[in-house]
Amino acid sequence: MTDDVRRQEQPLSGETPPFVQSALRVFDLSLSQMLWSRRTIFMVLVVGGPVIVAFILRALVLFAGDVDAGLLMSGSDLFGLMFWVFYLGIAVPLMGLFYGTALIADEVEDKTITYLFTRPISRGAVLVGKYLAYLVCTGFVVLPSLMIVFFLVTPLLGGSIGAGFPDLLNDLGLLAVGLAVYGAVFALAGAAVKRPLLAGLVFIFGWEPGVLMVPGYMKQFTVRYYMQGLAPHSMPADDSVLGSVLAFLQSAEVIPSTLMSLTGLAVILVGGLGLAIWLVERREYVLEQ
Amino acid sequence: MRQTRYFLLCASAVLLLGLCTGLFAYFNRGSALAVSVSGPLELAYVPAGATVVGYANVREVMLSNFRERIRQVAPDGVGQDALQEYLGLDIERDIDHVLAFMAPGGEGTPAGLVMFRGRFDVTRLEAAARRAGGTVSTYGDTRIVSAEAAEVGSLAMAFMQPGLVAVGDLPTVQQAVDRGDGGASLVDNAEMAALLEQVEDGSNAWAVGRFGDLNLLDVIPDDVLSRMPAVSFFAVSGRINGGLTGALMIEGRDEEAGQNLRDVFRGLMALAKMQTAAQPGLQTMLDSLRLGGTGALVTMSFWLPPEALDFIFSAPESGPAN
């Protein structure tokens, strides 16, 4: 048996609160709920991993003595590599996926969306409030994690905290932008698709890396393409023969300029979130019994 | 909820503490140059308009096992015995570091100076110069030994300070002496000072320069200059310690030039990797190449392991077949 949930008519007795106030109210309610949910365990694992790796690296250098002659990179390079692989490659897209798709999909799955949408606030404000809670929740976990990794890894093997600090600021900003953009993309997926998690996983681990490897314009339809243009650290090189062939093929490819990257990310963010709001405002969610 | 507030406070504290510490480290970091040159003394002699400045910490290089490799290539120590006999100079022990620069000269010719910091037998050096037809004079408080060379004009050697000898053409040496007495120098040039900041900490050899001024030096033919990529600045630094680590920073004239340079380097790296698949010594170096940079900036770092250095130094012995 199903029950159609339709938009509640505005109460006659009171006025609808303004959009921003409504969104902040939903944000207030959602933040704790989001922070202390089961997903927190996943989030701790994702951002705790790099911190543990950083501690291990630190211990290795501390106890192994003079290892700099045998290593290919300095502490700054190591940090850059960890930033690319762990944070931009894994943590940010995965968090955007798991939290972004859950903004609406979880409420539908838990059949609690009725209670949200029957409140005298716009549906868009619900989505925006939850999106803001997602940003704060993930941002306050990922950014301190990156900060700890920076201070653990950068001073190793001749690296300098002072010299690397501007890059850290850039990295922190990039993570925040990445969380915001991926969150918007997956909020749209959560609002539009029935199985958003599966679609998101295909997007992150199939579409984005696949399209980025192939020469052509299709990479403009990925988030990572625009993130590359803002990253101060060099991307880790693929040393395999296939990597060399791909690098040769891509030698004519253009990494987007800073302005183009910022514009691209802004378009994705505003477009994704705007479309998600538009969909949520109009769509009828059918709760399965 | 109380635990949410505590969590947000803790996370904010970590961020704030990290930012403050990083900011403190950023503003109090020692200049890379101060680490390498043991003080800014030599830079005071470099003109503000210098085009290229280079530095090598000879002492550190000679103390490393790189010295053995040099000996393999040049068993006679690059004329070491002759220098020891005539000048009393042992390059491996007596010279700490070398700083050199090139700047546009007065009559369209480049002006250059090489400064050696170390331990010198001044009397013996002067005597050797006199024997070669040189004359000793005093310029200000500085003793200068000069000799006429047919093609390059007057060559001069000045004892700028105890343990600091400058060699170059006479006018440049005299200008350096004047500059040491309080004239404008490289450290007053904000552009070059910022470029020096790009030198990697702990480097024992580096060079920085402005490509835009190369035509003023008149050492590179115009047609070659016109074909060179649109580069504004470069900074290259390296550290020899067993292997050789290095970093190169190039700034293009604009974002397009930077992008073109990155594309060229990326293509060359890919091509080189494919062509050196059967040479493990070079493959390791190519694998260590890291290309980066955004906008007009191109950065590249590399690491040559001892095996790759062995391979390179053995190449001349192996002959053209290799």
Side-chain angles (χ1 to χ4, degrees), chain A residues 109-183:
Chain A
E109 199 175 304
D110 296 344
K111 302 181 182 65
T112 50
I113 199 163
T114 315
Y115 307 113
L116 272 175
F117 285 177
T118 49
R119 307 304 297 174
I121 54 175
S122 77
R123 289 180 175 196
V126 172
L127 183 72
V128 171
K130 284 169 102 36
Y131 176 76
L132 290 177
Y134 147 76
L135 279 185
V136 172
C137 175
T138 52
F140 272 77
V141 174
V142 178
L143 300 187
S145 161
L146 182 74
M147 186 72 84
I148 292 168
V149 170
F150 173 78
F151 280 98
L152 283 173
V153 174
T154 302
L156 302 177
L157 309 170
S160 158
I161 286 177
F165 184 65
D167 278 346
L168 172 71
L169 293 181
N170 201 330
D171 292 347
L172 290 172
L174 200 57
L175 280 194
V177 170
L179 286 171
V181 175
Y182 275 112

Side-chain angles (χ1 to χ4, degrees), chain B residues 184-201:
Chain B
S185 68
L186 191 79
V187 289
D188 301 312
N189 184 335
E191 212 171 45
M192 287 297 272
L195 203 55
L196 289 170
E197 289 285 323
Q198 301 295 328
V199 174
E200 292 277 319
D201 283 354

Side-chain angles (χ1 to χ4, degrees), chain A residues 32 36 69 72 140 234 255 257, chain B residues 4 12 26 255 259 263 291 303:
Chain A
S32 296
W36 307 113
L72 291 177
F140 272 77
S234 58
I255 292 176
S257 65
Chain B
T4 304
S12 306
Y26 178 71
E255 280 200 12
Q259 183 61 52
D263 291 343
L291 181 66
W303 183 70

Side-chain angles (χ1 to χ4, degrees), chain B residues 181-259:
Chain B
D181 291 336
S185 68
L186 191 79
V187 289
D188 301 312
N189 184 335
E191 212 171 45
M192 287 297 272
L195 203 55
L196 289 170
E197 289 285 323
Q198 301 295 328
V199 174
E200 292 277 319
D201 283 354
S203 303
N204 42 32
W206 54 258
V208 298
R210 296 183 285 197
F211 259 74
D213 294 346
L214 276 182
N215 56 335
L216 298 175
L217 290 181
D218 208 23
V219 288
I220 302 175
D222 288 342
D223 57 331
V224 177
L225 265 179
S226 63
R227 285 177 205 165
M228 285 176 78
V231 174
S232 302
F233 302 101
F234 73 91
V236 57
S237 52
R239 177 164 182 79
I240 295 162
N241 185 11
L244 170 67
T245 55
L248 169 69
M249 188 279 289
I250 298 176
E251 190 177 305
R253 282 190 196 134
D254 47 37
E255 280 200 12
E256 193 187 348
Q259 183 61 52

Side-chain angles (χ1 to χ4, degrees), chain A residues 30-76:
Chain A
S30 305
L31 183 59
S32 296
Q33 193 187 1
M34 210 174 270
L35 200 57
W36 307 113
S37 66
R38 274 173 299 173
R39 280 193 179 79
T40 310
I41 300 168
F42 158 77
M43 188 159 64
V44 167
L45 283 176
V46 168
V47 300
V51 177
I52 292 169
V53 171
F55 269 111
I56 292 171
L57 281 172
R58 184 98 197 178
L60 276 176
V61 173
L62 194 69
F63 294 113
D66 185 22
V67 293
D68 56 340
L71 280 176
L72 291 177
M73 46 180 68
S74 69
S76 304

